[in-house]
Amino acid sequence: MIAEEYKQMLGKKSVIREIAEYGAERAKEIGYEHVFDYSLGNPSVPVLQAFTDKLIELASSSDPGAVHGYSPSLGIDSVREKVAQSLKRRFGMDYQKEHIFMVSGAAGGLAHALRAVTVKGDEVITFAPYFPEYDPYVNKTGAVLKVVPANTADFQINFTEFEKMLTPNVTAVIINSPNNPSGIVYSTDTLKQLAQLLQDKEKEYGHEIYLISDEPYREIVFKNVDAPYIATFYQNTITCYSFSKSLSIPGERIGYIAVNPACKDAALIVNICGQISRGIGHNCPPSIIQLAIAEVIDMTADLSVYETNMNILYNELTNLGFSCVKPGGTFYMFPKALEDDAVAFCKRALKYNLLLVPADSFGCPGYFRIAYCIPTEKVERSLNAFRKLAEEYKK
Amino acid sequence: MIAEEYKQMLGKKSVIREIAEYGAERAKEIGYEHVFDYSLGNPSVPVLQAFTDKLIELASSSDPGAVHGYSPSLGIDSVREKVAQSLKRRFGMDYQKEHIFMVSGAAGGLAHALRAVTVKGDEVITFAPYFPEYDPYVNKTGAVLKVVPANTADFQINFTEFEKMLTPNVTAVIINSPNNPSGIVYSTDTLKQLAQLLQDKEKEYGHEIYLISDEPYREIVFKNVDAPYIATFYQNTITCYSFSKSLSIPGERIGYIAVNPACKDAALIVNICGQISRGIGHNCPPSIIQLAIAEVIDMTADLSVYETNMNILYNELTNLGFSCVKPGGTFYMFPKALEDDAVAFCKRALKYNLLLVPADSFGCPGYFRIAYCIPTEKVERSLNAFRKLAEEYKK
């Protein structure tokens, strides 16, 4: 039988796609360089040269065993070891190989982590604005995703609302800092308060509440921003990392799950991830990519352009009267639209060849996302379009 | 909550792993070159040079958009197009891009295909001997796997038993030809009879029965063996292909699902596969690997060594009194053990540093698998070990 549950997912045409399609049409008419495409979170900076060099070296081998062979389902041993050592070196925590599971990007990591620590009927909490793909990751485990409303003052956690939503059915909490789409980084205060609350509730409920920390933007943090390593605050943390943004290789599907060494059942969770892979036919991330990232484990591409772009846009937009919390990292910015209906606002922006994404699907209506992972010269050329757009609302 | 369903999968230590571990220990003592490791289906022939060349060329690009960017969830358009054109050229069927879904190897293809066309309570049938990972692929959709007993005379399909097991609950049938572990290729007669039976039952039951054809060994077929393209026989065929064996790159996780253009809901099934990916956090197979295989789509590595190895082993083993159906393809051979208990037989073989796999987990007790994807000189050196092993049973 055709699986209706998946067929139904097809029905909904997303606004984001509609905007992307409009953009593609416009690009045909006026050239892509004249379309200010702020709609997609595709890294734009050149791939780290050391990664490219290593990849070429590995690709040059024709020995299927050495480079292109099956990886163990938990990941290549030497790669897991290097990831653990790097985390240990950088964050002073006692990660070992057995705490690391190699995954196909943060998406694969989140879906695995959720399957490992939730069962049918569990509740999982996350915080608006949030990445809408959390819905299928959670729902397909049989658990239910509950979303804490945004704290639009600073996009830190809305603890009052969060506490109201905590029940004994909550077994996992997903956070994403630096955050897509707000660009905000959770402060030390926020993380301390979060950890204390979860610890208290664990005691009260008599079971673990796993903190699943989605960290693809960990390496994109701007100057003087307080951005501590999240797992240091809370034992039962499962960190999901991706090299997509730090190395500019989102299509190569590589990341890891790092379970806090102090987490309850840490090594068991890693082994369970291997069994989850069996059920979905996911044998391992690509071997050659695992081997390549292991050699550049402490390095990143030159990510400085994102902060340059952020500053240009933040200054211009706030001058134009946009209300916006200054991003602490990522390549996203999250202003309030100039009318209540952000979809209508983003559609109006198309007139000026500006592709912006309304935040309704991120659980935060009235706001829009700017993905400024585009060349700086294009950011500069786009300012006039923003000016014209703002002008419309002054009439 | 820790997911018990996956935790329980961890409990069972497989005999295959036990044998592999013994082999690893022996290798430390006497050197790996003296261990005749016939336990693993890891391709041993050098990677196709044209693939390596293309991979180096692609890896040399530091433009994240051109090579390392996100692929659409159905696969890169140009790659899907090239796969479709290749199938059209080779098998004369009207495949188009919309019938192709790029996957992470045949494992990913099977798991996706099963999720697309089965729902909770459905029955899925396969034929012994069969790849034991079909169990988790099927069970995790909520369907139930039923296994038709082996036809040990020639390892074609046991139609009498198969027909008895067909019920209106059956919505999918999995076949694997050339077959792991028997090495047998289904004949034109078998496939015609299979197609006729399934068509009749579709009419009788009033619903589709999808034929899911697992074809990672399609390109390893020996001289003068009748090996027709399976989808030509039956409209509702979903072909799951992998480049792991044809190019010797199993770790790079690349393959495709090709839905027969005449299949009911063909394009819908492909789109549903994209939605299934969302639920498991599988965005796409690695972009660089997709781009590389597309350039060598009609080529394979030099696979001739497998037939050479097969002939050497088949001749020696049948001379020694083993009962064995001659393989038509793959790099597996499937003789009857020299005692009823194939596990005991394979444990005895360890004495001679022979790593063989008992076929109990393949649903065919009393037989064992030889994976002869090892260098020919090692095959030749191993013959004496087989002789000594056979000698034991003459006492």
Side-chain angles (χ1 to χ4, degrees):
Chain A
M1 297 289 182
I2 292 284
E4 280 297 322
E5 57 168 327
Y6 294 107
K7 192 174 167 185
Q8 281 162 15
M9 290 166 75
L10 277 170
K12 307 162 198 154
K13 190 165 181 177
S14 80
V15 177
I16 301 184
R17 183 169 299 179
E18 215 176 300
I19 285 169
E21 281 170 8
Y22 176 90
E25 281 306 306
R26 278 301 278 161
K28 278 182 207 159
E29 291 161 31
I30 61 172
Y32 186 70
E33 69 277 20
H34 299 299
V35 177
F36 305 117
D37 187 353
Y38 286 114
S39 69
L40 293 173
N42 273 329
S44 58
V45 304
V47 174
L48 174 71
Q49 188 60 42
F51 173 83
T52 295
D53 292 346
K54 193 66 204 173
L55 191 58
I56 294 169
E57 187 188 321
L58 289 162
S60 307
S61 166
S62 69
D63 178 353
V67 173
H68 301 296
Y70 284 112
S71 148
S73 62
L74 306 184
I76 296 173
D77 271 3
S78 62
V79 175
R80 294 170 68 204
E81 183 66 40
K82 282 177 185 166
V83 169
Q85 291 307 315
S86 167
L87 290 172
K88 200 170 172 172
R89 216 164 30 238
R90 295 183 60 196
F91 306 118
M93 292 173 64
D94 193 27
Y95 287 103
Q96 306 293 331
K97 186 184 75 178
E98 59 264 34
H99 305 119
I100 308 299
F101 177 76
M102 301 306 296
V103 293
S104 298
L110 289 164
H112 268 74
L114 283 161
R115 270 183 178 68
V117 300
T118 65
V119 298
K120 199 172 156 64
D122 284 356
E123 289 174 10
V124 177
I125 293 185
T126 196
F127 304 90
Y130 74 106
F131 184 53
E133 291 302 289
Y134 291 172
D135 285 308
Y137 303 160
V138 171
N139 298 342
K140 292 301 173 199
T141 72
V144 179
L145 183 67
K146 307 258 171 172
V147 181
V148 178
N151 167 5
T152 54
D154 58 8
F155 294 110
Q156 299 288 321
I157 286 176
N158 184 335
F159 280 102
T160 315
E161 292 298 323
F162 178 37
E163 210 167 335
K164 279 188 212 160
M165 290 168 69
L166 279 165
T167 78
N169 292 327
V170 174
T171 55
V173 171
I174 312 176
I175 59 173
N176 171 223
S177 171
N179 183 268
N180 172 13
S182 77
I184 261 38
V185 181
Y186 284 169
S187 68
T188 297
D189 280 352
T190 295
L191 293 168
K192 276 187 180 163
Q193 199 176 339
L194 174 65
Q196 189 59 55
L197 179 58
L198 292 181
Q199 277 157 21
D200 291 348
K201 290 294 174 181
E202 283 192 328
K203 267 186 211 145
E204 184 184 331
Y205 302 153
H207 65 71
E208 285 71 39
I209 302 174
Y210 292 96
L211 181 63
I212 299 179
S213 181
D214 177 20
E215 304 187 13
Y217 300 96
R218 188 202 296 151
E219 308 302 342
I220 314 180
V221 174
F222 303 145
K223 281 189 200 85
N224 304 321
V225 172
D226 171 32
Y229 182 64
I230 290 168
T232 53
F233 293 85
Y234 185 68
Q235 287 196 348
N236 290 329
T237 301
I238 304 176
T239 304
C240 299
Y241 184 75
S242 165
F243 294 89
S244 292
K245 276 77 182 185
S246 63
L247 295 175
S248 275
I249 52 167
E252 310 311 357
R253 314 310 306 135
I254 186 73
Y256 58 78
I257 284 176
V259 186
N260 188 329
C263 177
K264 177 89 184 334
D265 293 323
L268 175 63
I269 289 170
V270 168
N271 280 309
I272 283 177
C273 284
Q275 299 303 313
I276 291 167
S277 290
R278 292 177 64 194
I280 61 172
H282 166 84
N283 289 22
C284 58
S287 293
I288 191 171
I289 308 293
Q290 287 191 59
L291 293 167
I293 61 97
E295 296 302 312
V296 296
I297 194 75
D298 287 341
M299 301 162 83
T300 71
D302 178 358
L303 306 168
S304 59
V305 66
Y306 300 133
E307 184 160 6
T308 305
N309 291 353
M310 185 276 291
N311 280 319
I312 295 169
L313 281 167
Y314 180 78
N315 291 337
E316 182 69 26
L317 267 68
T318 47
N319 276 341
L320 288 172
F322 281 90
S323 157
C324 181
V325 179
K326 192 171 187 181
T330 76
F331 40 58
Y332 303 111
M333 185 176 294
F334 201 61
K336 200 164 190 302
L338 296 178
E339 59 183 299
D340 288 346
D341 181 350
V343 176
F345 173 81
C346 292
K347 285 191 175 164
R348 198 183 279 221
L350 295 177
K351 213 194 300 183
Y352 306 103
N353 303 315
L354 277 172
L355 307 193
L356 310 171
V357 170
D360 300 60
S361 61
F362 296 102
C364 199
Y367 286 75
F368 68 99
R369 186 184 79 171
I370 304 177
Y372 47 83
C373 42
I374 66 172
T376 301
E377 68 81 24
K378 206 168 179 179
V379 170
E380 279 163 346
R381 278 196 287 122
S382 77
L383 298 182
N384 207 33
F386 279 109
R387 279 176 214 128
K388 285 184 193 159
L389 177 60
E391 199 61 39
E392 284 209 23
Y393 288 91
K394 288 186 183 151
K395 284 168 192 166
Chain B
M1 297 286 183
I2 293 283
E4 281 296 323
E5 57 168 330
Y6 294 106
K7 191 173 168 185
Q8 281 161 16
M9 289 167 75
L10 276 171
K12 306 161 199 156
K13 188 163 181 179
S14 81
V15 177
I16 301 183
R17 182 170 299 181
E18 214 176 301
I19 285 169
E21 281 171 6
Y22 176 89
E25 280 308 305
R26 278 301 279 161
K28 279 183 207 157
E29 291 161 31
I30 62 173
Y32 186 68
E33 68 277 19
H34 299 298
V35 177
F36 305 116
D37 187 353
Y38 286 114
S39 69
L40 295 174
N42 273 330
S44 58
V45 304
V47 174
L48 174 72
Q49 189 59 44
F51 173 84
T52 295
D53 293 346
K54 192 68 205 172
L55 191 58
I56 294 169
E57 187 189 323
L58 289 163
S60 308
S61 167
S62 68
D63 177 353
V67 173
H68 301 296
Y70 284 112
S71 148
S73 64
L74 306 184
I76 296 172
D77 271 2
S78 63
V79 175
R80 294 169 69 205
E81 183 66 40
K82 281 178 185 165
V83 169
Q85 291 306 315
S86 168
L87 290 171
K88 200 169 173 174
R89 216 164 30 237
R90 295 183 59 196
F91 305 119
M93 291 173 66
D94 194 26
Y95 286 102
Q96 306 292 332
K97 186 184 74 179
E98 59 262 36
H99 305 119
I100 308 298
F101 177 77
M102 300 307 296
V103 293
S104 298
L110 289 163
H112 268 73
L114 284 161
R115 270 183 176 70
V117 300
T118 65
V119 298
K120 200 171 155 67
D122 284 355
E123 289 174 11
V124 176
I125 293 185
T126 197
F127 305 90
Y130 74 105
F131 183 54
E133 292 301 289
Y134 291 172
D135 285 308
Y137 303 160
V138 171
N139 298 342
K140 291 301 173 201
T141 71
V144 179
L145 184 67
K146 307 257 170 172
V147 181
V148 178
N151 166 6
T152 54
D154 58 7
F155 293 111
Q156 298 288 321
I157 286 176
N158 185 335
F159 280 102
T160 316
E161 292 297 323
F162 178 36
E163 211 167 333
K164 279 188 212 159
M165 290 168 68
L166 280 165
T167 77
N169 292 327
V170 174
T171 55
V173 170
I174 311 176
I175 59 172
N176 171 225
S177 171
N179 184 269
N180 172 14
S182 77
I184 263 35
V185 181
Y186 284 169
S187 67
T188 299
D189 280 353
T190 295
L191 294 168
K192 277 186 180 165
Q193 199 176 339
L194 175 64
Q196 189 59 55
L197 180 58
L198 292 181
Q199 277 157 21
D200 292 348
K201 291 293 175 183
E202 283 192 328
K203 268 187 211 145
E204 186 185 328
Y205 302 153
H207 65 70
E208 285 72 39
I209 302 174
Y210 291 96
L211 181 64
I212 299 178
S213 182
D214 177 19
E215 304 188 14
Y217 299 98
R218 188 203 293 151
E219 309 300 344
I220 314 181
V221 174
F222 303 145
K223 283 189 199 84
N224 304 318
V225 172
D226 171 33
Y229 182 63
I230 290 166
T232 54
F233 293 86
Y234 185 68
Q235 287 196 347
N236 291 328
T237 301
I238 303 176
T239 303
C240 299
Y241 184 75
S242 164
F243 294 90
S244 293
K245 277 76 184 187
S246 63
L247 296 176
S248 275
I249 52 168
E252 309 312 356
R253 315 311 305 136
I254 186 72
Y256 58 79
I257 285 176
V259 185
N260 188 329
C263 178
K264 179 87 183 333
D265 292 323
L268 174 64
I269 289 169
V270 168
N271 281 310
I272 283 177
C273 283
Q275 299 303 312
I276 291 166
S277 290
R278 291 177 64 195
I280 61 173
H282 166 85
N283 288 23
C284 58
S287 294
I288 191 173
I289 307 293
Q290 288 191 59
L291 293 167
I293 61 96
E295 297 302 312
V296 297
I297 194 75
D298 288 340
M299 301 163 82
T300 71
D302 178 359
L303 306 167
S304 59
V305 66
Y306 300 133
E307 185 161 6
T308 304
N309 291 354
M310 185 277 289
N311 280 318
I312 294 169
L313 282 166
Y314 180 77
N315 290 337
E316 183 68 27
L317 266 68
T318 48
N319 275 340
L320 288 172
F322 281 90
S323 158
C324 182
V325 180
K326 192 171 186 179
T330 75
F331 40 59
Y332 303 111
M333 187 177 294
F334 201 60
K336 199 165 189 303
L338 295 177
E339 59 183 299
D340 289 347
D341 181 350
V343 175
F345 174 80
C346 292
K347 286 193 174 163
R348 197 183 278 221
L350 295 176
K351 213 195 298 182
Y352 305 103
N353 303 315
L354 276 172
L355 307 192
L356 310 171
V357 170
D360 299 61
S361 61
F362 296 102
C364 199
Y367 287 75
F368 66 98
R369 186 184 78 171
I370 305 176
Y372 46 85
C373 41
I374 66 172
T376 302
E377 69 81 23
K378 206 167 180 181
V379 171
E380 279 164 345
R381 279 196 288 122
S382 78
L383 297 182
N384 207 33
F386 279 109
R387 279 177 213 127
K388 285 185 194 157
L389 176 61
E391 199 61 39
E392 285 208 24
Y393 288 91
K394 287 188 182 150
K395 281 168 193 165

